Amino acid sequence: MQLIGFARVSTNSQDLANQLKMLEDFGCSKVFNGKQSGTSKENEIKLKELVDYVREGDTVVVTKLDRLGRSLKSILETIQQITDKRATLKTLDGAIDTTNSSPFAQAQLNLIGTFAQLERDLIVQRTTEGRDAAKNKGVKFGRKSVLTEEQRQSIKKKLSKGATVYALAKEYEVSRQTIMRVRDQN
């Protein structure tokens, strides 16, 4: 059985030293750490390294639960991966301790799962409502076109007269792919 730490700060300007010291003082023999956002691909990679390293009987230790990630859903997924390996998780602030298998501790984990799903559903609902409201106000989504409608018409006319895609891309300072999209539009 081994105590394995995980420390994270969100930006390069933040300092990991306090978390690393707390984990070392607690007795962690190995600490995975990094400076990356909890929602980033880098954090997923660091968490995968941690989970891959963990063995049955190990305890993963974090200073606070939010060090595992920003969304409750991703935190719960990580907790599940750790428990699937028959390892446990403990936060130094006392919020979570899966080494305790009492009914109260299990109920606490289930409540966290319920709130994670609620959080996800609310985010989806708010995002959908906001997008619909913006569309109703005439907001266009996506990147702005690099070409005006007049330029598009001019390109189509020049193409019909034999101009090459390459020459037009150079003339309008756009990629050949942009010219081909204009050409292929009906």
Side-chain angles (χ1 to χ4, degrees):
M1 184 189 112
Q2 190 176 349
L3 294 176
I4 303 161
F6 185 80
R8 178 187 64 79
V9 290
S10 299
T11 65
N12 284 328
S13 63
Q14 293 176 318
D15 190 11
L16 272 170
N18 189 40
Q19 288 181 55
L20 295 173
K21 173 110 175 70
M22 290 173 72
L23 294 169
E24 180 185 309
D25 290 349
F26 191 74
C28 293
S29 55
K30 179 160 181 72
V31 177
F32 291 83
N33 66 81
K35 293 185 176 191
Q36 70 273 344
S37 166
T39 58
S40 72
K41 188 72 174 162
E42 293 168 50
N43 196 55
E44 287 179 32
I45 292 167
K46 287 284 185 189
L47 287 170
K48 183 175 179 348
E49 289 174 13
L50 168 75
V51 171
D52 288 347
Y53 183 83
V54 170
R55 299 293 175 250
E56 182 176 344
D58 288 347
T59 298
V60 174
V61 183
V62 291
T63 55
K64 295 188 307 183
L65 193 58
D66 69 349
R67 298 300 83 204
L68 290 177
R70 275 286 169 233
S71 79
L72 215 39
K73 180 179 183 257
S74 69
I75 292 170
L76 281 172
E77 287 172 357
T78 302
I79 292 172
Q80 187 62 54
Q81 291 169 348
I82 291 168
T83 56
D84 286 349
K85 294 189 90 173
R86 293 197 169 106
T88 56
L89 174 73
K90 182 176 187 66
T91 60
L92 296 182
D93 68 0
I96 297 290
D97 184 356
T98 64
T99 60
N100 176 356
S101 60
S102 73
F104 181 75
Q106 293 304 310
Q108 184 181 22
L109 274 177
N110 288 332
L111 280 174
I112 290 171
T114 300
F115 284 113
Q117 185 60 48
L118 175 63
E119 174 193 37
R120 178 72 190 128
D121 293 346
L122 289 172
I123 289 169
V124 168
Q125 180 183 17
R126 285 191 304 262
T127 303
T128 302
E129 288 171 355
R131 188 181 312 114
D132 291 346
K135 282 182 181 177
N136 290 338
K137 290 179 181 176
V139 173
K140 302 280 188 212
F141 289 90
R143 227 169 76 176
K144 288 192 174 193
S145 177
V146 293
L147 298 170
T148 66
E149 188 54 39
E150 294 79 29
Q151 289 173 317
R152 290 175 183 283
Q153 294 308 317
S154 176
I155 290 169
K156 286 181 180 183
K157 190 180 280 186
K158 289 177 182 182
L159 283 168
S160 69
K161 292 182 179 179
T164 66
V165 169
Y166 179 78
L168 291 172
K170 235 178 149 85
E171 178 183 341
Y172 287 92
E173 298 178 343
V174 296
S175 69
R176 292 185 311 250
Q177 186 64 41
T178 298
I179 301 298
M180 289 186 283
R181 273 194 295 273
V182 169
R183 176 194 67 196
D184 297 340
Q185 284 177 337
N186 292 332

Short mmCIF file of all heavy atoms in Angstrom, two decimals, residues 1-7 19-33 50-51 53-63 82 86-92 96-100:
data_model
loop_
_atom_site.label_atom_id
_atom_site.label_comp_id
_atom_site.label_asym_id
_atom_site.label_seq_id
_atom_site.Cartn_x
_atom_site.Cartn_y
_atom_site.Cartn_z
N MET A 1 0.84 -1.18 0.00
CA MET A 1 0.00 0.00 0.00
C MET A 1 0.89 1.24 0.00
O MET A 1 1.86 1.34 0.72
CB MET A 1 -0.91 0.01 1.22
CG MET A 1 -1.86 1.18 1.21
SD MET A 1 -2.75 1.33 2.75
CE MET A 1 -2.04 2.85 3.32
N GLN A 2 0.51 2.20 -0.84
CA GLN A 2 1.32 3.39 -1.03
C GLN A 2 0.42 4.62 -1.03
O GLN A 2 -0.70 4.58 -1.53
CB GLN A 2 2.04 3.25 -2.38
CG GLN A 2 3.08 4.23 -2.68
CD GLN A 2 3.79 3.91 -4.01
OE1 GLN A 2 3.61 2.86 -4.60
NE2 GLN A 2 4.58 4.84 -4.47
N LEU A 3 0.90 5.72 -0.47
CA LEU A 3 0.21 7.00 -0.56
C LEU A 3 0.76 7.73 -1.77
O LEU A 3 1.96 7.96 -1.88
CB LEU A 3 0.43 7.83 0.69
CG LEU A 3 -0.16 7.29 1.99
CD1 LEU A 3 0.23 8.18 3.17
CD2 LEU A 3 -1.66 7.17 1.90
N ILE A 4 -0.13 8.10 -2.70
CA ILE A 4 0.27 8.75 -3.94
C ILE A 4 -0.45 10.09 -4.02
O ILE A 4 -1.67 10.15 -3.97
CB ILE A 4 -0.10 7.89 -5.17
CG1 ILE A 4 0.55 6.52 -5.03
CG2 ILE A 4 0.31 8.58 -6.46
CD1 ILE A 4 -0.06 5.46 -5.89
N GLY A 5 0.31 11.16 -4.16
CA GLY A 5 -0.27 12.48 -4.19
C GLY A 5 -0.55 12.98 -5.59
O GLY A 5 0.05 12.52 -6.57
N PHE A 6 -1.47 13.93 -5.67
CA PHE A 6 -1.74 14.62 -6.93
C PHE A 6 -1.92 16.10 -6.59
O PHE A 6 -2.77 16.46 -5.78
CB PHE A 6 -2.99 14.08 -7.61
CG PHE A 6 -3.24 14.70 -8.97
CD1 PHE A 6 -2.54 14.25 -10.09
CD2 PHE A 6 -4.13 15.74 -9.13
CE1 PHE A 6 -2.75 14.82 -11.33
CE2 PHE A 6 -4.34 16.33 -10.37
CZ PHE A 6 -3.65 15.86 -11.48
N ALA A 7 -1.09 16.94 -7.21
CA ALA A 7 -1.15 18.38 -6.97
C ALA A 7 -1.29 19.08 -8.31
O ALA A 7 -0.71 18.66 -9.30
CB ALA A 7 0.12 18.85 -6.26
N GLN A 19 1.04 22.84 -1.89
CA GLN A 19 0.39 21.53 -2.05
C GLN A 19 1.43 20.40 -1.94
O GLN A 19 1.18 19.38 -1.28
CB GLN A 19 -0.30 21.43 -3.41
CG GLN A 19 -1.56 22.24 -3.53
CD GLN A 19 -2.19 22.06 -4.90
OE1 GLN A 19 -2.47 20.94 -5.31
NE2 GLN A 19 -2.42 23.17 -5.59
N LEU A 20 2.57 20.58 -2.60
CA LEU A 20 3.61 19.54 -2.58
C LEU A 20 4.10 19.29 -1.15
O LEU A 20 4.29 18.14 -0.75
CB LEU A 20 4.78 19.94 -3.48
CG LEU A 20 4.44 20.02 -4.99
CD1 LEU A 20 5.62 20.58 -5.77
CD2 LEU A 20 4.01 18.67 -5.53
N LYS A 21 4.27 20.36 -0.38
CA LYS A 21 4.72 20.23 1.01
C LYS A 21 3.68 19.48 1.85
O LYS A 21 4.03 18.59 2.63
CB LYS A 21 4.98 21.62 1.61
CG LYS A 21 5.29 21.62 3.10
CD LYS A 21 6.72 21.96 3.35
CE LYS A 21 7.07 22.10 4.82
NZ LYS A 21 7.06 20.87 5.56
N MET A 22 2.40 19.84 1.67
CA MET A 22 1.33 19.17 2.43
C MET A 22 1.29 17.67 2.11
O MET A 22 1.15 16.84 3.01
CB MET A 22 -0.02 19.83 2.12
CG MET A 22 -0.16 21.23 2.68
SD MET A 22 -1.67 22.05 2.14
CE MET A 22 -2.90 21.15 3.08
N LEU A 23 1.43 17.34 0.84
CA LEU A 23 1.38 15.92 0.43
C LEU A 23 2.60 15.17 0.95
O LEU A 23 2.48 14.02 1.40
CB LEU A 23 1.25 15.81 -1.09
CG LEU A 23 -0.06 16.34 -1.67
CD1 LEU A 23 0.02 16.46 -3.18
CD2 LEU A 23 -1.24 15.47 -1.25
N GLU A 24 3.76 15.82 0.88
CA GLU A 24 4.98 15.20 1.41
C GLU A 24 4.86 14.98 2.92
O GLU A 24 5.18 13.91 3.43
CB GLU A 24 6.18 16.09 1.09
CG GLU A 24 7.50 15.55 1.58
CD GLU A 24 8.63 16.53 1.34
OE1 GLU A 24 8.77 17.02 0.20
OE2 GLU A 24 9.37 16.80 2.31
N ASP A 25 4.37 16.01 3.63
CA ASP A 25 4.21 15.90 5.08
C ASP A 25 3.21 14.80 5.46
O ASP A 25 3.34 14.19 6.51
CB ASP A 25 3.75 17.24 5.68
CG ASP A 25 4.84 18.30 5.66
OD1 ASP A 25 6.01 17.96 5.37
OD2 ASP A 25 4.50 19.48 5.91
N PHE A 26 2.22 14.58 4.59
CA PHE A 26 1.23 13.54 4.87
C PHE A 26 1.81 12.14 4.67
O PHE A 26 1.28 11.17 5.17
CB PHE A 26 0.00 13.74 3.97
CG PHE A 26 -1.17 12.88 4.35
CD1 PHE A 26 -1.94 13.18 5.47
CD2 PHE A 26 -1.50 11.76 3.60
CE1 PHE A 26 -3.01 12.37 5.83
CE2 PHE A 26 -2.58 10.95 3.95
CZ PHE A 26 -3.34 11.26 5.07
N GLY A 27 2.91 12.06 3.91
CA GLY A 27 3.58 10.77 3.73
C GLY A 27 3.49 10.20 2.33
O GLY A 27 3.78 9.00 2.13
N CYS A 28 3.14 11.00 1.35
CA CYS A 28 3.06 10.52 -0.03
C CYS A 28 4.45 10.17 -0.54
O CYS A 28 5.37 10.97 -0.46
CB CYS A 28 2.41 11.56 -0.94
SG CYS A 28 0.67 11.85 -0.55
N SER A 29 4.60 8.95 -1.06
CA SER A 29 5.90 8.51 -1.56
C SER A 29 6.12 8.97 -3.00
O SER A 29 7.26 9.03 -3.46
CB SER A 29 6.00 6.98 -1.47
OG SER A 29 4.92 6.39 -2.16
N LYS A 30 5.05 9.26 -3.71
CA LYS A 30 5.15 9.76 -5.08
C LYS A 30 4.04 10.80 -5.25
O LYS A 30 2.94 10.62 -4.75
CB LYS A 30 4.98 8.62 -6.08
CG LYS A 30 5.04 9.08 -7.54
CD LYS A 30 5.36 7.94 -8.47
CE LYS A 30 5.45 8.35 -9.90
NZ LYS A 30 6.62 9.14 -10.25
N VAL A 31 4.38 11.88 -5.97
CA VAL A 31 3.39 12.93 -6.20
C VAL A 31 3.38 13.28 -7.69
O VAL A 31 4.42 13.64 -8.25
CB VAL A 31 3.69 14.20 -5.37
CG1 VAL A 31 2.68 15.29 -5.69
CG2 VAL A 31 3.67 13.88 -3.88
N PHE A 32 2.23 13.15 -8.31
CA PHE A 32 2.04 13.61 -9.68
C PHE A 32 1.61 15.07 -9.58
O PHE A 32 0.77 15.41 -8.75
CB PHE A 32 0.96 12.80 -10.39
CG PHE A 32 1.36 11.38 -10.67
CD1 PHE A 32 1.24 10.40 -9.70
CD2 PHE A 32 1.89 11.03 -11.90
CE1 PHE A 32 1.63 9.09 -9.94
CE2 PHE A 32 2.28 9.73 -12.16
CZ PHE A 32 2.15 8.75 -11.18
N ASN A 33 2.18 15.93 -10.42
CA ASN A 33 1.82 17.34 -10.31
C ASN A 33 1.97 18.04 -11.65
O ASN A 33 2.63 17.54 -12.56
CB ASN A 33 2.65 18.03 -9.24
CG ASN A 33 4.11 18.10 -9.61
OD1 ASN A 33 4.52 18.95 -10.37
ND2 ASN A 33 4.91 17.16 -9.06
N LEU A 50 -1.57 9.21 -13.37
CA LEU A 50 -1.84 8.88 -11.98
C LEU A 50 -2.60 7.57 -11.87
O LEU A 50 -2.19 6.64 -11.17
CB LEU A 50 -2.62 10.00 -11.30
CG LEU A 50 -3.22 9.69 -9.93
CD1 LEU A 50 -2.13 9.68 -8.87
CD2 LEU A 50 -4.30 10.70 -9.57
N VAL A 51 -3.71 7.48 -12.58
CA VAL A 51 -4.57 6.28 -12.50
C VAL A 51 -3.81 5.05 -12.99
O VAL A 51 -3.92 3.97 -12.41
CB VAL A 51 -5.89 6.50 -13.28
CG1 VAL A 51 -6.67 5.21 -13.39
CG2 VAL A 51 -6.73 7.57 -12.60
N TYR A 53 -0.68 4.50 -12.72
CA TYR A 53 0.33 4.18 -11.72
C TYR A 53 -0.26 3.49 -10.49
O TYR A 53 0.38 2.64 -9.88
CB TYR A 53 1.06 5.46 -11.30
CG TYR A 53 2.18 5.23 -10.32
CD1 TYR A 53 3.44 4.84 -10.76
CD2 TYR A 53 1.98 5.41 -8.96
CE1 TYR A 53 4.46 4.62 -9.86
CE2 TYR A 53 3.00 5.20 -8.04
CZ TYR A 53 4.24 4.80 -8.50
OH TYR A 53 5.25 4.58 -7.60
N VAL A 54 -1.48 3.87 -10.14
CA VAL A 54 -2.12 3.38 -8.91
C VAL A 54 -2.33 1.86 -8.96
O VAL A 54 -2.71 1.31 -9.99
CB VAL A 54 -3.47 4.11 -8.70
CG1 VAL A 54 -4.29 3.47 -7.60
CG2 VAL A 54 -3.24 5.57 -8.41
N ARG A 55 -2.08 1.23 -7.82
CA ARG A 55 -2.27 -0.22 -7.68
C ARG A 55 -3.28 -0.50 -6.57
O ARG A 55 -3.54 0.36 -5.72
CB ARG A 55 -0.94 -0.91 -7.34
CG ARG A 55 0.15 -0.73 -8.38
CD ARG A 55 -0.22 -1.46 -9.68
NE ARG A 55 0.77 -1.21 -10.72
CZ ARG A 55 0.55 -0.47 -11.79
NH1 ARG A 55 -0.60 0.14 -11.96
NH2 ARG A 55 1.48 -0.31 -12.70
N GLU A 56 -3.79 -1.70 -6.55
CA GLU A 56 -4.74 -2.11 -5.52
C GLU A 56 -4.16 -1.85 -4.13
O GLU A 56 -3.00 -2.15 -3.87
CB GLU A 56 -5.07 -3.60 -5.67
CG GLU A 56 -6.09 -4.10 -4.68
CD GLU A 56 -6.47 -5.55 -4.90
OE1 GLU A 56 -6.19 -6.10 -5.97
OE2 GLU A 56 -7.07 -6.13 -3.97
N GLY A 57 -4.97 -1.23 -3.28
CA GLY A 57 -4.55 -0.95 -1.91
C GLY A 57 -3.92 0.43 -1.74
O GLY A 57 -3.75 0.89 -0.61
N ASP A 58 -3.57 1.09 -2.84
CA ASP A 58 -2.98 2.43 -2.75
C ASP A 58 -4.05 3.45 -2.36
O ASP A 58 -5.25 3.22 -2.55
CB ASP A 58 -2.37 2.87 -4.09
CG ASP A 58 -1.09 2.12 -4.43
OD1 ASP A 58 -0.53 1.45 -3.55
OD2 ASP A 58 -0.67 2.21 -5.61
N THR A 59 -3.61 4.58 -1.84
CA THR A 59 -4.50 5.70 -1.54
C THR A 59 -3.99 6.93 -2.27
O THR A 59 -2.83 7.31 -2.12
CB THR A 59 -4.56 5.99 -0.03
OG1 THR A 59 -5.07 4.83 0.65
CG2 THR A 59 -5.46 7.18 0.28
N VAL A 60 -4.85 7.52 -3.09
CA VAL A 60 -4.53 8.76 -3.77
C VAL A 60 -4.92 9.90 -2.84
O VAL A 60 -6.01 9.91 -2.27
CB VAL A 60 -5.30 8.87 -5.11
CG1 VAL A 60 -5.06 10.23 -5.76
CG2 VAL A 60 -4.88 7.75 -6.06
N VAL A 61 -4.00 10.85 -2.68
CA VAL A 61 -4.21 11.96 -1.75
C VAL A 61 -4.13 13.28 -2.51
O VAL A 61 -3.20 13.49 -3.29
CB VAL A 61 -3.16 11.94 -0.62
CG1 VAL A 61 -3.42 13.04 0.39
CG2 VAL A 61 -3.12 10.58 0.07
N VAL A 62 -5.13 14.14 -2.30
CA VAL A 62 -5.12 15.50 -2.85
C VAL A 62 -5.42 16.46 -1.71
O VAL A 62 -6.07 16.09 -0.73
CB VAL A 62 -6.15 15.69 -4.00
CG1 VAL A 62 -5.75 14.90 -5.23
CG2 VAL A 62 -7.55 15.31 -3.57
N THR A 63 -4.95 17.70 -1.84
CA THR A 63 -5.21 18.67 -0.78
C THR A 63 -6.69 19.01 -0.72
O THR A 63 -7.28 19.10 0.35
CB THR A 63 -4.38 19.95 -0.97
OG1 THR A 63 -4.64 20.47 -2.26
CG2 THR A 63 -2.90 19.66 -0.81
N ILE A 82 -10.19 5.32 -9.95
CA ILE A 82 -9.34 4.96 -8.81
C ILE A 82 -9.97 3.80 -8.04
O ILE A 82 -9.30 2.82 -7.71
CB ILE A 82 -9.12 6.19 -7.89
CG1 ILE A 82 -8.23 7.22 -8.61
CG2 ILE A 82 -8.50 5.78 -6.56
CD1 ILE A 82 -8.18 8.59 -7.94
N ARG A 86 -9.38 -0.71 -7.16
CA ARG A 86 -9.39 -1.10 -5.74
C ARG A 86 -8.41 -0.26 -4.92
O ARG A 86 -7.78 -0.75 -3.98
CB ARG A 86 -9.13 -2.59 -5.58
CG ARG A 86 -10.25 -3.43 -6.14
CD ARG A 86 -10.17 -4.83 -5.61
NE ARG A 86 -11.37 -5.56 -5.93
CZ ARG A 86 -11.44 -6.50 -6.86
NH1 ARG A 86 -10.37 -6.83 -7.55
NH2 ARG A 86 -12.58 -7.13 -7.09
N ALA A 87 -8.31 1.00 -5.31
CA ALA A 87 -7.54 1.97 -4.55
C ALA A 87 -8.54 2.95 -3.94
O ALA A 87 -9.74 2.88 -4.24
CB ALA A 87 -6.56 2.70 -5.46
N THR A 88 -8.07 3.84 -3.09
CA THR A 88 -8.96 4.78 -2.41
C THR A 88 -8.49 6.20 -2.64
O THR A 88 -7.38 6.44 -3.12
CB THR A 88 -9.01 4.49 -0.90
OG1 THR A 88 -7.68 4.53 -0.37
CG2 THR A 88 -9.65 3.13 -0.63
N LEU A 89 -9.34 7.15 -2.28
CA LEU A 89 -9.03 8.57 -2.43
C LEU A 89 -9.27 9.27 -1.10
O LEU A 89 -10.27 9.01 -0.42
CB LEU A 89 -9.92 9.20 -3.51
CG LEU A 89 -9.80 10.72 -3.67
CD1 LEU A 89 -8.48 11.08 -4.34
CD2 LEU A 89 -10.96 11.28 -4.46
N LYS A 90 -8.38 10.19 -0.77
CA LYS A 90 -8.52 10.95 0.47
C LYS A 90 -8.13 12.40 0.17
O LYS A 90 -7.13 12.65 -0.48
CB LYS A 90 -7.60 10.38 1.54
CG LYS A 90 -7.70 11.07 2.88
CD LYS A 90 -6.82 10.36 3.89
CE LYS A 90 -6.99 10.88 5.28
NZ LYS A 90 -8.29 10.64 5.86
N THR A 91 -8.96 13.33 0.64
CA THR A 91 -8.62 14.74 0.54
C THR A 91 -8.13 15.22 1.91
O THR A 91 -8.69 14.83 2.93
CB THR A 91 -9.81 15.60 0.09
OG1 THR A 91 -10.87 15.47 1.03
CG2 THR A 91 -10.31 15.20 -1.28
N LEU A 92 -7.11 16.03 1.91
CA LEU A 92 -6.55 16.51 3.17
C LEU A 92 -7.48 17.47 3.88
O LEU A 92 -7.38 17.65 5.10
CB LEU A 92 -5.18 17.15 2.95
CG LEU A 92 -4.09 16.20 2.44
CD1 LEU A 92 -2.77 16.92 2.29
CD2 LEU A 92 -3.95 14.99 3.35
N ILE A 96 -13.53 14.26 1.29
CA ILE A 96 -13.74 12.90 0.77
C ILE A 96 -12.72 11.96 1.40
O ILE A 96 -11.55 12.29 1.53
CB ILE A 96 -13.57 12.85 -0.77
CG1 ILE A 96 -14.61 13.72 -1.47
CG2 ILE A 96 -13.63 11.43 -1.31
CD1 ILE A 96 -16.01 13.19 -1.41
N ASP A 97 -13.21 10.79 1.76
CA ASP A 97 -12.33 9.74 2.25
C ASP A 97 -12.96 8.40 1.91
O ASP A 97 -13.80 7.90 2.64
CB ASP A 97 -12.12 9.88 3.76
CG ASP A 97 -11.12 8.87 4.31
OD1 ASP A 97 -10.65 8.01 3.52
OD2 ASP A 97 -10.82 8.93 5.51
N THR A 98 -12.56 7.84 0.76
CA THR A 98 -13.15 6.57 0.35
C THR A 98 -12.49 5.39 1.04
O THR A 98 -12.87 4.25 0.80
CB THR A 98 -13.09 6.38 -1.19
OG1 THR A 98 -11.72 6.30 -1.60
CG2 THR A 98 -13.82 7.48 -1.91
N THR A 99 -11.49 5.67 1.92
CA THR A 99 -10.94 4.58 2.73
C THR A 99 -11.97 4.16 3.76
O THR A 99 -11.90 3.06 4.30
CB THR A 99 -9.64 5.02 3.46
OG1 THR A 99 -9.93 6.12 4.33
CG2 THR A 99 -8.57 5.42 2.46
N ASN A 100 -12.94 5.03 4.01
CA ASN A 100 -14.03 4.77 4.94
C ASN A 100 -15.20 4.21 4.12
O ASN A 100 -15.77 4.90 3.30
CB ASN A 100 -14.42 6.07 5.63
CG ASN A 100 -15.60 5.93 6.55
OD1 ASN A 100 -16.21 4.87 6.65
ND2 ASN A 100 -15.94 7.02 7.20
#
